[in-house]
């Protein structure tokens, strides 16, 4: 399965993967992040229910220093 | 000395500090933490960006140093050049911060000067306010634009003193005065402050607060400058509340008594 994450193509050999599964694979468990999938925001409570599809485009964001 | 309670009220919430600070341009997170601590700020701006994919599980972030349960985070839309981008950024910021509604809207119009695009700003403000956001809005120092933004429902109007990161100070106190005079919501200077006296002048004009980043972060000693800014804001506010004496070319009235002179 290929996913476009933050503008880069990433390949995963997992069969079924939820958003939560992906967050774990990316070492982001417990981090304060927000995710947009194909332009729609996914609430944290939905991370474990949503199964990713080949070609999904994800934006994973966090808070950084800024003025 | 009796300390008067003089809170800054934004979207129904009271704050003790009238200095709002950004979290960008610091040497590292530790310096960010120390400078913000020295500034006494309660509201701090943060940017929303793609996170680094492929990071180690233990990698630190800004949030470890300035925890969101200790400060009021003010997510901004820095770097957005259209209403759509700004709206998208703040929607995801709200999700990131557990439904947080207080935001700083800024839509830029030009990458060289970072001058705000007020047309896109007005469009974005309208949508965000309908969605329930409390919008503190960065804008030019045009009094009519400020009035329109207030009419739309922005909870604070934040005109520039001068261009972002320029450190040029308050270039048009007259426009700021007109904006302050007409606004029923707090007016805060955002951008352009270079040093402590600039912050004091903004407060003496009647601004309810000042938002700054570069003036602190780019000082030789950011932590000391943060402390200086805290004092400047407090001094300017007290001077405003105290009501300054009238300016005159000369008074003809000596400070010391004229009677009882040795002759």
């Amino acid at each position: 399965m290929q996913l476009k994450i933050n503008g880069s193509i990433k390949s995963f050999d997992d069969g079924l993967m939820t958003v939560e599964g992906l967050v774990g694979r990316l070492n982001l468990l417990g981090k304060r992040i927000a995710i947009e999938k194909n332009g729609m925001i996914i609430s944290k409570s939905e991370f474990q229910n949503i199964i990713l599809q080949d070609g999904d485009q994800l934006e994973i964001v966090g808070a950084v220093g800024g003025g | 000395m009796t300390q008067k309670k003089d809170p800054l009220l934004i979207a129904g919430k009271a704050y003790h500090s009238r200095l709002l600070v950004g979290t960008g341009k610091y040497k590292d997170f530790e310096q960010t933490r120390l400078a913000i601590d020295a500034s006494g700020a309660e509201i701090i701006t943060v940017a929303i960006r793609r996170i680094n994919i492929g990071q180690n599980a233990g990698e630190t972030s800004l949030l470890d140093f300035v925890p969101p349960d200790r400060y009021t985070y003010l997510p901004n839309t820095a770097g957005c050049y259209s209403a759509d981008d700004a709206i998208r950024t703040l929607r995801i910021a709200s999700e990131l911060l557990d439904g947080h509604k207080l935001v700083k809207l800024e839509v830029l119009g030009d990458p060289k000067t970072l001058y705000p695009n007020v047309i896109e700003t007005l469009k974005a403000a309208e949508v965000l306010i309908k969605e329930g956001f409390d919008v503190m809005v960065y804008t030019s120092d045009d009094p009519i634009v400020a009035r329109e933004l207030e009419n739309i429902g922005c909870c604070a109007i934040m005109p520039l003193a001068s261009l972002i990161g320029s450190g040029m100070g308050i270039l048009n106190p007259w426009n700021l005065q007109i904006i302050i005079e007409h606004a029923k919501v707090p007016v805060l200077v955002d951008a352009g402050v270079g040093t402590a006296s600039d912050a004091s002048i903004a407060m003496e004009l009647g601004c309810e607060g000042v938002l700054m980043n570069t003036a602190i972060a780019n000082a030789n000693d950011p932590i000391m400058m943060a402390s200086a800014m805290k004092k400047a804001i407090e001094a300017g506010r007290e001077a405003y509340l105290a009501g300054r004496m009238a300016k005159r070319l000369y008074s003809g009235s000596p400070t010391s008594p004229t009677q009882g002179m040795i002759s």
Side-chain angles (χ1 to χ4, degrees):
Chain A
M1 178 169 61
Q2 284 200 331
L3 301 171
K4 194 172 187 184
I5 305 173
N6 288 356
S8 305
I9 306 280
K10 305 266 178 200
S11 294
F12 298 88
D13 45 21
D14 309 50
L16 282 177
M17 185 163 58
T18 61
V19 174
E20 188 164 80
L22 176 69
V23 170
R25 288 284 302 269
L26 297 175
N27 284 333
L28 297 172
L29 278 178
K31 301 270 183 188
R32 190 179 279 268
I33 54 168
I35 301 183
E36 200 184 76
K37 180 170 83 79
N38 303 327
M40 302 286 286
I41 293 168
I42 306 174
S43 78
K44 287 176 200 77
S45 57
E46 289 296 303
F47 280 10
Q48 54 186 0
N49 301 328
I50 292 177
I51 293 167
L52 294 164
Q53 312 278 334
D54 188 51
D56 276 346
Q57 300 200 15
L58 297 149
E59 290 289 338
I60 308 181
V61 304
V64 302
Chain B
M1 192 185 124
T2 53
Q3 188 69 43
K4 265 190 303 204
K5 276 214 159 59
D6 175 36
L8 166 64
L9 290 170
I10 295 177
K13 203 179 159 199
Y15 299 90
H16 303 291
S17 171
R18 292 176 176 273
L19 174 57
L20 289 69
V21 297
T23 54
K25 296 186 178 175
Y26 287 99
K27 189 181 72 181
D28 52 33
F29 290 141
E30 179 62 7
Q31 191 185 57
T32 313
R33 182 182 76 77
L34 291 169
I36 290 172
D37 194 44
S39 78
E42 296 164 287
I43 301 177
I44 63 172
T45 63
V46 294
I48 306 301
R49 290 290 180 270
R50 285 172 166 173
I51 61 153
N52 175 20
I53 299 297
Q55 60 176 258
N56 301 320
E59 200 165 307
T60 56
S61 80
L62 177 71
L63 288 81
D64 301 320
F65 289 79
V66 282
D69 54 357
R70 220 185 119 192
Y71 296 96
T72 297
Y73 269 33
L74 187 65
N76 70 22
T77 59
C80 290
Y81 284 83
S82 69
D84 286 346
D85 283 348
I87 293 163
R88 183 185 182 193
T89 300
L90 291 178
R91 283 177 182 155
I92 203 161
S94 177
E95 169 59 27
L96 180 73
L97 300 170
D98 306 323
H100 182 88
K101 290 296 176 200
L102 184 69
V103 295
K104 171 180 161 179
L105 171 65
E106 73 174 274
V107 186
L108 301 179
D110 174 47
K112 189 172 173 185
T113 60
L114 306 179
Y115 205 84
N117 181 332
V118 296
I119 298 158
E120 292 296 306
T121 303
L122 282 157
K123 278 192 234 168
E126 200 154 10
V127 173
L128 290 164
I129 287 159
K130 278 194 187 128
E131 292 183 12
F133 283 92
D134 294 318
V135 178
M136 301 179 74
V137 64
Y138 172 64
T139 183
S140 67
D141 61 4
D142 181 327
I144 305 305
V145 173
R147 190 182 67 194
E148 291 297 320
L149 288 164
E150 181 176 350
N151 289 344
I152 286 173
C154 291
C155 70
I157 309 297
M158 305 200 291
L160 48 75
S162 48
L163 296 177
I164 293 174
S166 71
M168 293 282 278
I170 293 158
L171 298 187
N172 194 338
W174 315 111
N175 271 26
L176 287 179
Q177 252 177 303
I178 294 170
I179 293 171
I180 292 163
E181 198 179 305
H182 288 91
K184 290 179 188 69
V185 295
V187 175
L188 292 84
V189 152
D190 180 1
V193 163
T195 189
S197 52
D198 298 333
S200 288
I201 291 168
M203 297 307 292
E204 287 170 10
L205 286 172
C207 284
E208 292 278 335
V210 177
L211 199 166
M212 65 178 79
N213 191 153
T214 313
I216 297 174
N218 278 10
N220 284 338
D221 183 340
I223 297 152
M224 192 183 286
M225 186 57 91
S227 163
M229 289 299 184
K230 178 182 189 222
K231 293 168 187 159
I233 296 280
E234 288 169 0
R237 178 66 182 175
E238 282 189 17
Y240 169 73
L241 293 175
R244 62 155 298 149
M245 62 165 282
K247 280 187 188 176
R248 53 204 168 195
L249 194 54
Y250 50 81
S251 75
S253 163
T255 316
S256 304
T258 48
Q259 285 188 335
M261 295 282 294
I262 302 163
S263 59

